[in-house]
Amino acid sequence: MSIKPLKSSDFDLNDLDSELLNSCGFGIIILDEFSRLLYWNNWIGKHTNLSLKDNASEHLEIVLPILQKTRLLNAIDDALHYRLPSSLSHKLNPQTLPLFKACGTPLEHSIKVIPLKKPNGVFHCLIEVTDISASIKREKQLRDVSKKMRHEKEWANVTLMSIADAVITTDPQGCIIAANKQAEKLTGLTKEVMQAEPITRVCPITQDVDDLAPHPVIHCLKKSLTLTDSESFQFISSQGTPYAVSLSIAPIIDEESLLLGSVMTFRDITHARNIAEQLDWQAKHDHLTGLINRRELEVQLDYHRESAKTGNSHFLMYIDLDQFKVINDTCGHGVGDKLLQKISLMLQEQLRQNDILARLGGDEFCIILPNCPSKNAQSIANTLRQSVLEHRFVYKNQPYVLGASIGLTEITGSEKNSAEILSAADSACYVAKSMGRNRVHLHNSQDSNSARPQEAMQWFSRLQSAIEDDRFVLYAQEIVSINHKEDKHYEVLIRMLDHDGSIIPPNSFIPAAERFSLMQRIDRWVLQHVCMYLADLQNSDKKLPIISVNLSGTSIGDTEFLQATLDLFKQYNTPAEHICFEITETAAISNLKEALAFMNEMKKRGCMISLDDFGSGLSSFAYLKDMPVDYLKIDGHFVKNITHDDIDKAFVASIHQIAQVMNIKTIAEFVENDEILDLLKTLGIDYAQGYGIAKPVPLDTIEV
Amino acid sequence: MNDNSDILNEIQLDALGELLNIGMGSAAASLSTMVQQEVLLTVPVIRIIHQNDVPKQLDDVPPQKVCGVKQTFRGNFSGDALLLFSEEKSLSLVRAVLGDSIPLEELGEMEEEAITEIGNIILNACLSSLANIFKEHLDSEIPQYLNEDIEQLFNVDNDDDCFVLLLRMSFSIAKQDITGYVTFIMDLESIAKIRTQINNMLGM
């Protein structure tokens, strides 16, 4: 195609068209079919800083140094030759034309190339240039913001994922929007499964106390409430595992107070709660028996003390097991512990549902009997005492008999504190014990001493001063030979002289002496006076009787006492063969090794040994074999009823039989009448002692 | 419905494919210059199908939404020329072209312009190839960006006897292979004209 010279008439605009095009806010360039410049509007002139007049009819690429040549020229070609329009984006063609803003910076633009059909059938080309600086700027801002948001989102996401607590966010309706890893772990569901699900379904949480309450998230959303570290919730995982959780929930509210949703964080505190519960339980209970302990008992006592003020009648029972120490020492602590567990169960079984059983420690138990009249309380106490007594405990084929000394006191509400109630019951128990054990004593405010510790302290000082003032006297009770005549034999018994000269029997002060470790001093006192007595008799050339001296367990277990005894013998030149030491079966067995050592040592010196209260405790003939015993003193309780109790009779008879085989003489105590004496005679018992034969009399009054 | 093979047979389709591939060569050259890296454009498959069947033909799993560029043309025969991608592929293409590191989901509509231009280049190449066959120019409108539901675009419910010349396009840019589709929606009359022209060209 030959190129025609261009005439100005080829492109003529009327004034109106010209004004219209020049007022456009975008650039217009028109090229002829040979891609020569026909026209551009003022916008192009302004941004290229070139005049149309100087450049008209030149090829566009000569007029303007086109930077992205190929694309624009192809587009122009498409328009002129194929009548195809083109669109040139800024992104792919950043700076096609050298256009500048007034300030000199490049003007960002996009281009459209459009074929223009001329009446003569040829095609011209319209180039439309649009300033897109504003949108580029907007786009840049948008990208920056979105990049920032993306980073923040990522940051938030990483933070969320690394939080050790489970975090779940919901929309205002309580449907799940997001959940972190820990939440997946606790719920047992993946994020994807939880997404958009109602939290009530995926994450069921109930309040421990009220499982009908609405889901806490729903509650917080409805009321716009915040919940912080509440630990009274339980969460059930999809596998049905319940967790104790610490829960925090906060509604998410925007600046305009519009509710956007909620965020819930929770933490599995099952372990912590279990530990707390365990600690709490341990603090309140005795670990051996599972019963409540002294501390919790005091709490319960305070409660019942308050309740008593409104007229309710409650009782407190204080139980001390008799003989338990012996079992513990003989059979070992493991066995003792088992026995305590058994006794606890046995006691519990016999109680009413509301009764409260506690173990104070050792062999001491307490029971609160709520709403219980005095008569019933005593009857319950006696039932319990009886069942302890009847409780057969067998260890290595050896039966052991337990007893219970029980103190009872009413909770009146007038006590100052729980300690006062406990002390009253303890005191009553003490009285029961000192009255001979295995009995129930109801505390009575008229009892000479209301509280046991006080009472005991008083006894302590009374004993102390009695020892210092030498205010003891020895009594003697004759032990007679039943079947043949022999030397006279007496058991010395101690009495205390009170300040007013009254005589106090041993069962009043011996328990206190035992408690305050004064027994050895008393034993020494007795022994010394017996030695002195025998020395006096020797000096006056009188016939010497055999004197039985009671020794406590602490004395025989102490080597110092042994030495002291030898010293006394030496000092008073005591004829040892006239001394018989009486040691209770229980004391001997509890300190077996020391007892044997003491017995053997004394036997060497010529002393005799009598095993006291035989039958009340272990009655072990096996031990007997190893002991150098001369006499067995059968426990008085068997003797007392021997005439009308066949079992007691058989018991006494069998003890005697075995003793005989072992070449041990038997002594029966508590012989209160001739009937008993006659029976003992037929049984072959060697000696008898008791009120029916001779009452105890002051030692210095006996006739030898 | 007519049997598709009656409309254009294998030989005719092959010839058409050859011609279109020549057109693609210049489009690829144009793109290569713009993005300063090698761009390969090929038309490996060309078919004629009923327009209702188009969605089934796009990818293995037809995308719900497609985006692309549309240019309506008129002349000896008329119709709509469309370059279509699944939404994701269109963005992959832009990213490949622009060498952008922005994640796909962020590209979105900000890239409308660029997609329009790429579509424009390719559709212009196709249209000029067709113009060469007919030795007659087609008038085309300015390209338009599309982001539509595919079912709606191809009027599945409409029982018009409109046929589609479907070209599968293979783009190879920056070590990425991206598949797109060019469709020419034309009525039977326009198709018949194409067949006549191809036959003339082939001397049949």
Side-chain angles (χ1 to χ4, degrees), chain A residues 71 81 87 89 93 143, chain B residues 102 106 111 117 120 124 137:
Chain A
R71 175 66 181 132
H81 298 113
S87 173
S89 67
N93 310 277
R143 278 186 198 275
Chain B
I102 298 170
E106 291 289 319
E111 310 310 334
E117 183 170 0
N120 179 218
N124 275 1
H137 297 302

Side-chain angles (χ1 to χ4, degrees), chain A residues 363-380:
Chain A
D363 55 357
E364 291 175 328
F365 294 86
C366 268
I367 301 169
I368 300 174
L369 301 168
N371 301 314
C372 187
S374 169
K375 222 176 129 188
N376 290 13
Q378 290 192 59
S379 137
I380 293 171

Side-chain angles (χ1 to χ4, degrees), chain A residues 70-71 74 78 81-93 110 112 114 139 142-143 146 150, chain B residues 30 33-34 97-98 102-103 106 110-111 113-114 117-118 120-121 124 128 137-143:
Chain A
T70 324
R71 175 66 181 132
N74 281 352
D78 275 355
H81 298 113
Y82 295 99
R83 307 178 197 171
L84 293 170
S86 291
S87 173
L88 278 69
S89 67
H90 171 262
K91 186 125 315 148
L92 293 172
N93 310 277
S110 68
K112 283 194 171 61
I114 302 153
E139 193 185 308
L142 201 61
R143 278 186 198 275
S146 100
R150 209 165 54 239
Chain B
S30 184
T33 319
M34 275 164 55
V97 167
L98 298 176
I102 298 170
E106 291 289 319
M110 280 195 262
E111 310 310 334
E113 262 200 310
E117 183 170 0
I118 294 166
N120 179 218
I121 290 168
N124 275 1
S128 54
H137 297 302
L138 299 166
D139 290 323
S140 167
E141 286 176 10
I142 296 261

Side-chain angles (χ1 to χ4, degrees), chain A residues 70 82 119 171 248 265 307 459-460 678 682:
Chain A
T70 324
Y82 295 99
D171 67 9
S248 299
T265 69
S307 146
W459 271 117
F460 180 63
D678 288 343
T682 58

Side-chain angles (χ1 to χ4, degrees), chain B residues 58 63-70 82 84-87 109 144-155:
Chain B
L58 301 184
Q64 174 93 55
K65 280 199 125 188
V66 285
C67 73
V69 184
K70 172 175 162 181
L82 292 95
L84 300 172
F85 300 99
S86 62
E87 214 169 6
E109 291 180 356
Q144 267 182 288
Y145 177 77
L146 281 181
N147 189 353
E148 275 181 46
D149 202 279
I150 190 163
E151 304 278 331
Q152 210 140 15
L153 193 61
F154 289 98
N155 246 337

Side-chain angles (χ1 to χ4, degrees), chain B residues 17-67:
Chain B
E18 279 297 315
L19 288 165
L20 285 166
N21 269 325
I22 294 166
M24 284 308 131
S26 66
S30 184
L31 275 172
S32 296
T33 319
M34 275 164 55
V35 303
Q36 316 256 303
Q37 57 183 322
E38 195 178 23
V39 177
L40 289 174
L41 280 177
T42 50
V43 183
V45 176
I46 177 164
R47 304 179 64 184
I48 287 205
I49 54 173
H50 194 271
Q51 75 162 357
N52 291 1
D53 296 332
V54 173
K56 283 184 254 166
Q57 297 290 328
L58 301 184
D59 288 358
D60 297 334
V61 181
Q64 174 93 55
K65 280 199 125 188
V66 285
C67 73

Side-chain angles (χ1 to χ4, degrees), chain A residues 117-383:
Chain A
K117 191 173 182 180
K118 297 303 288 177
N120 57 2
V122 299
F123 273 81
H124 285 179
C125 166
L126 170 74
I127 301 171
E128 180 193 307
V129 185
T130 316
D131 177 1
I132 55 160
S133 322
S135 21
I136 297 269
K137 200 170 163 189
R138 266 201 311 278
E139 193 185 308
K140 190 179 175 304
Q141 274 170 356
L142 201 61
R143 278 186 198 275
D144 287 350
V145 168
S146 100
K147 190 173 173 185
K148 203 174 147 202
M149 279 178 67
R150 209 165 54 239
H151 281 170
E152 276 172 10
K153 197 178 160 189
E154 213 161 289
W155 186 257
N157 201 34
V158 169
T159 310
L160 196 63
M161 287 302 162
S162 51
I163 288 177
D165 289 359
V167 182
I168 291 180
T169 56
T170 75
D171 67 9
Q173 283 73 44
C175 290
I176 292 174
I177 293 171
N180 71 351
K181 272 207 188 77
Q182 194 59 29
E184 291 184 318
K185 204 170 139 191
L186 280 183
T187 56
L189 300 170
T190 62
K191 267 192 293 216
E192 290 71 24
V193 170
M194 284 189 269
Q195 185 88 40
E197 285 289 319
I199 193 154
T200 46
R201 175 131 43 103
V202 177
C203 199
I205 288 176
T206 56
Q207 194 132 25
D208 285 354
V209 286
D210 181 9
D211 52 358
L212 291 174
H215 193 285
V217 167
I218 303 298
H219 185 69
C220 287
L221 280 170
K222 268 193 190 145
K223 311 257 169 178
S224 272
L225 282 178
T226 300
L227 191 70
T228 309
D229 277 338
S230 174
E231 300 199 339
S232 60
F233 289 95
Q234 181 169 315
F235 163 78
I236 313 222
S237 80
S238 62
Q239 283 82 26
T241 321
Y243 291 101
V245 290
S246 165
L247 194 66
S248 299
I249 300 172
I252 305 171
I253 294 163
D254 75 359
E255 288 161 0
E256 274 126 39
S257 306
L258 192 72
L259 182 66
L260 302 178
S262 73
V263 58
M264 169 172 85
T265 69
F266 57 107
R267 186 167 71 243
D268 176 11
I269 55 161
T270 312
H271 186 58
R273 196 188 279 187
N274 284 347
I275 287 175
E277 277 170 5
Q278 210 176 329
L279 284 177
D280 186 52
W281 193 89
Q282 279 172 358
K284 290 178 179 168
H285 291 80
D286 164 46
H287 74 100
L288 177 65
T289 58
L291 300 176
I292 61 167
N293 60 13
R294 177 187 286 269
R295 195 204 301 188
E296 182 61 13
L297 176 76
E298 283 170 359
V299 173
Q300 295 290 342
L301 279 175
D302 279 330
Y303 170 80
H304 286 91
R305 189 166 56 86
E306 286 303 315
S307 146
K309 288 179 185 167
T310 59
N312 296 316
S313 169
H314 313 305
F315 270 86
L316 176 67
M317 203 190 289
Y318 198 109
I319 304 175
D320 193 309
L321 298 180
D322 307 328
Q323 303 293 347
F324 177 76
K325 188 183 176 295
V326 178
I327 293 173
N328 216 17
D329 291 348
T330 327
C331 311
H333 292 290
V335 175
D337 286 353
K338 283 219 176 72
L339 179 60
L340 286 173
Q341 288 170 336
K342 276 191 179 168
I343 295 283
S344 307
L345 280 175
M346 189 204 69
L347 292 174
Q348 191 80 65
E349 275 167 12
Q350 309 205 33
L351 293 175
R352 304 171 302 172
Q353 194 163 11
N354 293 332
D355 297 339
I356 299 163
L357 175 60
R359 178 176 171 232
L360 301 189
D363 55 357
E364 291 175 328
F365 294 86
C366 268
I367 301 169
I368 300 174
L369 301 168
N371 301 314
C372 187
S374 169
K375 222 176 129 188
N376 290 13
Q378 290 192 59
S379 137
I380 293 171
N382 267 309
T383 311

